[in-house]
Amino acid sequence: MSENILEMRAITKTFPGVKALEDVSLAVRRGEIHAICGENGAGKSTLMKVLSGVYPAGTYEGEILLDGEPQRFSGIRDSEQHGVVIIHQELALIPHLSVAENIFLGNERLSVRGVVDWNRTNAEAGELLRRVGLRENPITPVGQLGVGKQQLVEIAKALSKDVRLLILDEPTAALNDDDSEHLLGLLRQLREQGITCIIISHKLGEITAVADATTIIRDGRTIETLDMRADEISQERIIRGMVGRELGDRFPERTSTPGEEVLRVEGWTVRHPVQDRLVVDDASFTVRAGEVVGIAGLMGAGRTELAMSVFGRSYGKYVSGKLYLHGQEVQARSVQEAIAHRMAYATEDRKTFGLNLIDDIRGNVSAAGLRKLSRRGWVNRHEEVKVAEESRRSMRIKAPGVMSVVGGLSGGNQQKVVLSKWVYTDPDVLILDEPTRGIDVGAKVEIYTIINKLVAAGKAVVVISSELPELLGVCDRIYTLAEGRTTGELPARGASQERLMQLMTQEKDTAR
Amino acid sequence: MSHTTAPDPGTARSDAGASTGQQGGGAGSRGPLAHLQALTGNLRQSGIFLAFVAIVALFAVATDGVLLSPTNVTNLVLQYSYILVLAIGMVIVIIAGHIDLSVGSVVALTGAVSAVVVIQGGAPWPVGVAAALAVGIAVGAWHGFWVAQVGIPAFIVTLAGMLLFRGLTLRVLDNVSLSPFPDGYSAIASGFINGLLGGNGYDAFTLLVFALGVAGFAVAALRTRRTRQGYGQQVESLPLFALKIVLVAAVTMGFAWLIANSRGLPVVLIILAVLIITYALITKNTVFGRQVYALGGNLSAARLSGVNTRNINFWVFVNMGFLSGVAGVIYSSRSNSAQPNAGNMFELDAIAAAFIGGAAVTGGVGTVVGAMVGGLIMAVMSNGMQLLSIDQSTQSVVRGLVLLAAVAFDVYTKKRAGITR
Ligand SMILES: Nc1ncnc2c1ncn2[C@@H]1O[C@H](COP(=O)(O)OP(=O)(O)OP(=O)(O)O)[C@@H](O)[C@H]1O
Ligand SMILES: [Mg+2]
């Protein structure tokens, strides 16, 4: 058998109007963890979809060799039969079905023809869960698990298919540090068991920690493959390959000159929409004009819930709390009212809450600001195109034009569309929930630059992020949230990740 | 056309041909591929028009030209006008991600109320029209309440409405037909504006009205083009633009010539034209219309963008009710009576028209103009098969297959364009 489990040769894939891949080659050695890096829209996901048969043979040019044998996969099932399994960028589990049902979906354990053998299903699922280190009952509905655990269920599902080559497209994008660490540990374990992994990630720290080799893709072409074991490869080295130049400061400089207080939230308390528990419990914070305030907290600490409920009570049941804008108490009982009070909230979940994927860039950018574009209910569509065109240029959204459908953009560019939408409403307070999730290093700098521009123009910005270095890098002040309560407030300058972690994990009885 | 949530560069918006000129406005990035995309996008847009032309040609030949005879063309307009009116409302309901199964019953109910008011009560006929429209709006508000405020799926609400309003129709009419309407009322669907300017065997007035319409269209198109250029957007080349205008003008004037040679300008055609133009503009150019697309495309995202989704859903159904009322008036006027079983299965024709015309089951996609062409395809087919004396059973089979084929064609073209997931 050849040393390479996989070789992809001269892969070219075009979409109408876009050449996503051009003459890309990739060689993966047996039993290694192979990372793929590149900017948003470089073509990473597309390459993996070609490999896994999502785009079947015939829709692309080039050759795929598995164990030296040419393969022409006709679909995902075909590639899975050859032991190639992909876990997509967006989780694809069905929330109402149990863990075991999800694991064996489309691959059911049967007794007689067509009848599910529940004993086998649950027993084998339990076995797989042990392999991925997840202590959960196989009959738990997947929707009740956190994202980190769901990601593990995805891997268990892959293992159930006798995977030899596991492809993970940004598996840690939505995970916190602990969960990511666990997942990377699991990948190392799988490597011991002889499973080859291809991992796509924008978190370069992970890549330097776990990868044996890294292939860099830029603008649909292979730039280089770095051997991570032979040389000491730094993150800066990878970045240079990705963007084709030295990337200056990871967090662009900004002189902070906070002004008047713009937003004050006091004693904010919110109940879960269906369960009888408080998700936000007496939280308070303030933001001043020209200031970036961070909110740190673990998964489930109530950061998103706090932000969304403040933004027009778009989450949960409001219990109590006061909202002041420019020193005046205001009521914002609906998203419309919140927008009218010049607030904006850019969601962490762009596919579900942020974008109309079947619409074009123009329609998405204007979605929250149609009032600005219209007179007496009639939209000025020419102005709308112009606005979208300006956003596309200033945000550097990579797309053929503003009539491009948003569903066809890469993750990072979709994120920029969400930001454009809210920036166009010209808010006084802009709440950014995980603004750089799934975004490449270069685009991150761009987004930080956009944040800096906004605060320079006197806006108040709130950043919610799971990445502590990011909070420390962009914020003036940081609040910590634990179990829905604000447990601390500290200036970013001089704060450490350890101190933040300590506050984020503060138990209820020791608080205050 | 779209029947999945798949992104579709061509049809996510309602400005069918117009958007292609703007495709790839991006500086420098407009390679030959972008042109190709514009072209295929164009093809998919025109696919429905081409299908329409093909079907017309087919039946024109099969019927030895009878299909396109002045009398038949006029009849066709009269006979299917109420379906087209319903399809306007239906496509908007479908874009919003709902469905309305009750419109047939509502057509019956509104016609019945109008008949009771005018024929039994002896009120002047405009009062009957007003009553029918009011009842339609009330029915729409009823549906809107359950769908938007209570949150019950429209499928259930309108299924209930289908039974409910059929039952009420029977009640109102006491199980018997009422006829005839006074002349003024029946003129709505069978009246013509004719002979105002005279003419030699054809009606000059009809031709004049159409000529003015075409001129208006040309001027509007030219102005849009200018504005677009003024905003630095790409537009189609001048010859192509001129060709488009000339084609539209030729087809329209041909149609005008046909009806001018028959009985003149049908009143109902004027009503229809006004409705189509109004609603095409509303869906494309108003905040309301745009928000309907937004919430149909992604309800949660629309809500978080400040769209008052309850309000919009409510008004979408009120509007459907209103248009059902209009269709009820036209239908009762045309049959010159109100019957307990009027409007049976109209909902299916209206729904078929919307889907053939490119609406998506999942919402967020569809156009008023597309639905009109879809409705006309169904109309020409039914009419053509009737002219050929094909029996009812075959007609039904053919219509079912055409609906399926239209949607299948759409799915196929989309796959080929590489948008599979
Ligand atoms: N279905 C599609 N239709 C049209 N264009 C597409 C489609 N899928 C991807 N593209 C285009 O192909 C290019 C590569 O996209 P891809 O999703 O592979 O990027 P990526 O490297 O995974 O980026 P990210 O890091 O943001 O996930 C982008 O320009 C994107 O717009
Ligand atoms: Mg990707």
Side-chain angles (χ1 to χ4, degrees), chain A residues 131-147:
Chain A
R131 263 182 86 187
V132 299
L134 184 59
R135 276 185 296 276
E136 286 290 339
N137 193 333
I139 60 170
T140 319
V142 157
Q144 289 181 12
L145 306 180
V147 235

Side-chain angles (χ1 to χ4, degrees), chain A residues 355 358 379 381 384 403 421, chain B residues 12 22 285 287 290 298 305:
Chain A
L355 296 168
I358 58 173
V379 181
R381 289 157 54 90
E384 188 187 10
M403 299 297 165
K421 167 166 86 178
Chain B
Q22 306 169 359
N285 289 329
V287 174
R290 298 293 307 277
N298 184 344
S305 299

Side-chain angles (χ1 to χ4, degrees), chain B residues 57-71:
Chain B
L58 181 79
F59 280 105
V61 172
T63 59
D64 281 333
V66 178
L67 182 88
L68 291 181
S69 70
T71 333

